[in-house]
Amino acid sequence: MEIANEVIESMLIKFNSERKWTLQAIGQLSEEDLTWVPNSESNSITNLVAHIRGCVHSRIETIFYDIPDTRDRDKEFERGLKYSKEQVYNMTKEAFDIIIQYLEHLKSNPELLLSQPFIHRPPLTYSQDNGS
């Protein structure tokens, strides 16, 4: 399990670093910056943060912590999606915290890195637009 521990430790370092820089970047933006889109085909930072938070919920909380999947994936991509700067900051912080918390759990239980806890789970929630 030595390699597993090295992988987990490397991921912890990377996610802690990314968390710091991402939260600093959000702190420098205005609420207008968070909802700005360059064109009609693009997503705002708010859309992307909502989507990342939703993915963390579906992929970590639902699978590893048995928290029911209440994600509304389509809402994550709604045009004009608005959250306050504080909400965007907190959603980003929550997503990183959940990932880091699970990595810390793996650090204590590296054998879980090779397990497949999702085999007996129901399918994850998907948008109707992607055919699933």
Side-chain angles (χ1 to χ4, degrees):
M1 288 296 158
E2 187 175 319
I3 290 176
N5 286 327
E6 288 182 33
V7 168
I8 294 164
E9 190 59 40
S10 173
M11 292 173 69
L12 274 166
I13 290 167
K14 183 68 173 165
F15 276 104
N16 276 303
S17 174
E18 293 300 325
R19 177 184 185 272
K20 174 186 172 185
W21 295 115
T22 303
L23 292 174
Q24 281 184 0
I26 290 172
Q28 295 174 17
L29 299 172
S30 68
E31 289 196 17
E32 183 179 316
D33 293 333
L34 295 171
T35 57
W36 177 81
V37 291
N39 59 55
S40 63
E41 300 300 314
S42 299
N43 291 300
S44 68
I45 293 170
T46 298
N47 289 119
L48 297 174
V49 166
H51 180 61
I52 291 167
R53 180 61 183 95
C55 286
V56 168
H57 169 69
S58 289
R59 304 300 194 256
I60 296 178
E61 292 179 312
T62 300
I63 292 172
F64 298 115
Y65 297 121
D66 289 324
I67 295 173
D69 190 3
T70 57
R71 180 181 184 195
D72 182 356
R73 189 177 189 281
D74 290 335
K75 182 180 179 188
E76 296 164 9
F77 295 103
E78 284 179 1
R79 294 285 155 228
L81 181 66
K82 292 191 187 281
Y83 288 110
S84 70
K85 181 176 177 175
E86 181 180 4
Q87 288 172 306
V88 171
Y89 184 93
N90 287 336
M91 287 168 46
T92 303
K93 185 178 178 307
E94 285 173 6
F96 275 106
D97 288 350
I98 291 164
I99 294 166
I100 291 166
Q101 175 187 358
Y102 192 72
L103 288 170
E104 289 288 350
H105 175 69
L106 284 176
K107 195 172 169 182
S108 302
N109 304 280
E111 69 281 356
L112 292 175
L113 196 59
L114 300 175
S115 69
Q116 295 183 5
F118 52 85
I119 289 176
H120 302 292
R121 302 270 186 229
L124 296 171
T125 304
Y126 292 98
S127 166
Q128 293 179 2
D129 295 335
N130 70 7
S132 296

